[in-house]
Amino acid sequence: MSTRTALSTPAASSAPSRRRLLRDLERPRDAFRHLGPNWFASVMGTGIVANAAASLPLRFPGMRAAATVVWAGASLLLLALCAAWAVHWARHRDHARAHGAHPVMSQFYGAPPMALMTVGAGTLLLGKDVIGLDAAVAVDWTLWLTGTVLGLLAAFAVPYRMITRRAAEPDAAFGGWLMPVVPPMVSAAMGAFLIPHSGAGQLRLTMILAFGVVTWGFAMLWLAIAAAVTVRTARSGGLPFNLTWWGFTFPVGTCVTGSTVLAARTGADLFIWAAVALYVLLVAAWAVVGLRTARGALRGTLFLPPGAPAVAAAPARLAAVRAAS
């Protein structure tokens, strides 16, 4: 009896390792358990690649077709994540509510509304070739309005909860605290694509242009600072991969679209070449982060909570313990 039990234990413990897809999870359905709002950053990062390509001042053969494919991928990813997140809230409501109380994860509640607005803008810029202009405008208005409302709620609720429900230590501040207040800015940026379809006066366009040049200068300054800090951190080995790496894509993409708008309004070569150079950087960052995300998702590693061991590693640890004993 004991011999049969001893022989069956390794086989049972090694069962997850035989499953190649989501092999780091004990059960495939556990992928929904810890699915947080940070996953929507992948939609933001992918969608902005398409949007930036569609509005780039320089055109290359096949670029619009490739951008349309990327937009379609971002749209499908958004639909899949919305469905998966609904399952997460239905089956694991305790974990979902815990995300709202978590000091880091709660900052990503601005990601879903920004994902909606990003895909909406791509629908207007690229999807109109597929579904028609009228339908594209309707979809963009719907996603932009929904994202704007949800973004304003996140911009209010998350900081309010931080102030009233948690006592933060002086050294607890980090860059993610700015995440909840970003959606209203994205609403302004993505809403600019709807201006031609809603009617706008010259005064409004002049104000946008004057504000845009100043903001672009600050954006370039902070981009240089962020790049220097990131390189320094990576060299010290303190930058392990996780979903926050998608934060390297969306800000760069907004710099591309901002540079493109300024290039169109001013005709300055500075903004044209800045948009092209930033787009090359954006695609490179998106490719690296996208491949790392796909690999982690297929293994199931990215669906585990922080610090949790991978199930696939259990048989190896068990063998090492037995060998040592």
Side-chain angles (χ1 to χ4, degrees), residues 6 20 36 57 112 127 140 144 150 176 184 197 206 233:
R20 300 194 64 177
D140 191 15
W144 182 80
L150 294 178
H197 304 280
T206 302
T233 305

Side-chain angles (χ1 to χ4, degrees), residues 35-49 70 73-75 77-78 81 108 111-112 115 118-119 179 241 243-247 249-250 286 289-290 293-294 302:
L35 189 72
N38 54 342
W39 271 93
F40 286 88
S42 62
V43 179
M44 296 164 53
T46 302
I48 200 65
V49 171
V70 175
S75 301
L77 182 58
L78 176 63
L81 282 177
F108 285 93
T118 302
V119 171
M179 186 76 166
F241 178 75
L243 288 175
T244 60
W245 277 36
W246 281 101
T249 59
F250 195 77
W286 172 73
V289 179
T293 300
L302 292 178

Side-chain angles (χ1 to χ4, degrees), residues 9-71:
T9 301
S13 63
S14 62
S17 64
R18 295 198 300 266
R19 187 179 66 241
R20 300 194 64 177
L21 186 64
L22 303 178
R23 65 180 181 271
D24 284 345
L25 299 178
E26 185 176 356
R27 297 176 300 272
R29 63 176 180 269
D30 287 344
F32 298 104
R33 184 180 299 275
H34 302 285
L35 189 72
N38 54 342
W39 271 93
F40 286 88
S42 62
V43 179
M44 296 164 53
T46 302
I48 200 65
V49 171
N51 297 356
S55 56
L56 206 64
L58 294 183
R59 302 295 180 185
F60 302 96
M63 173 175 284
R64 187 170 183 84
T68 302
V69 172
V70 175
W71 160 76

